[in-house]
Amino acid sequence: ICLFDSGYVPGSRIISDENGWRRGQAAGVNSLLPRQSSPGGFVKIKSIKAGVHRLAVTVPLLKEPINRRIVSCEVETDDGHVGYGLTGGAYLPQAIATAIEKEFFPVVKDMDPRDTEAIHEKVWWKLNQRSMTGVVSSSLSAIDIACWDIHGKATGRTIAQLLGGARDWAHTYCTFGFTEYEDREQLV
């Protein structure tokens, strides 16, 4: 008996064979799973491009914009869909962009961008067995956002809808700019 829902179980291995089947292994269970069909048929990641950009970000209460670097990621599928992702570039942005194009792309090439969990699993075991952060996490983050962008565009749904549509709002936070404020009173 196979207890797989979408063909992925944390800790399982997913391997596609030449017939489009995925072999799943988890908790000692072996099974052949038919490739999950998605609206619009099968798509494959065809190319990934990454680049480093500098942005001037206007932050409330500061006189001058803050200059920040970001890394952009563009994922294109074989059927012409293009998704865009961004990640921070404060630390080693050239390394992140290079890792995306030279290390990550060969790992995710020909995978369906809508299979985000399978992409994470494959990247984790191929490129991140020691659970490192930094370049690996930032690179995967940009690719993940681009894949969600493709999924949403291909299905005509928002990311909120793809994640279940339980609410039309999300908590927000800001992870930059605080060191530029002169004192805590300015923040308050």
Side-chain angles (χ1 to χ4, degrees):
I1 297 173
C2 178
L3 301 177
F4 296 121
D5 178 27
S6 65
Y8 170 77
V9 171
S12 68
R13 293 187 305 138
I14 300 172
I15 304 166
S16 294
D17 69 11
E18 63 278 357
N19 297 318
W21 291 84
R22 292 194 292 190
R23 180 175 301 281
Q25 294 179 319
V29 177
N30 262 333
S31 66
L32 277 177
L33 302 169
R35 180 71 169 88
Q36 301 293 317
S37 61
S38 301
F42 301 110
V43 293
K44 295 179 181 179
I45 294 173
K46 178 180 90 174
S47 69
I48 296 181
K49 298 176 189 168
V52 178
H53 308 276
R54 185 171 296 278
L55 300 175
V57 180
T58 304
V59 178
L61 303 177
L62 293 181
K63 296 176 183 128
E64 299 294 323
I66 299 172
N67 288 309
R68 288 289 183 251
R69 291 183 296 184
I70 61 162
V71 177
S72 67
C73 175
E74 177 183 297
V75 175
E76 185 176 359
T77 65
D78 60 345
D79 70 348
H81 283 94
V82 178
Y84 300 96
L86 296 175
T87 191
Y91 305 102
L92 303 172
Q94 294 295 337
I96 294 167
T98 300
I100 289 171
E101 290 184 351
K102 304 291 185 196
E103 303 296 335
F104 282 73
F105 174 61
V107 173
V108 301
K109 183 178 182 218
D110 293 331
M111 292 185 76
D112 189 319
R114 297 166 295 186
D115 293 340
T116 53
E117 290 297 321
I119 289 170
H120 275 250
E121 181 80 3
K122 189 171 182 184
V123 164
W124 191 263
W125 289 109
K126 292 275 187 185
L127 301 176
N128 200 28
Q129 292 183 12
R130 294 187 175 158
S131 302
M132 304 300 279
T133 60
V135 171
V136 172
S137 295
S138 294
S139 299
L140 186 55
S141 174
I143 292 170
D144 186 59
I145 292 167
C147 288
W148 280 102
D149 188 32
I150 289 169
H151 191 166
K153 289 174 179 176
T155 59
R157 297 173 59 99
T158 66
I159 300 303
Q161 291 169 327
L162 292 174
L163 295 174
R167 56 184 170 257
D168 60 359
W169 59 270
H171 293 285
T172 60
Y173 65 97
C174 180
T175 59
F176 66 89
F178 296 119
T179 58
E180 278 78 6
Y181 288 99
E182 294 176 15
D183 56 43
R184 290 181 184 227
E185 292 301 316
Q186 195 175 17
L187 283 172
V188 175

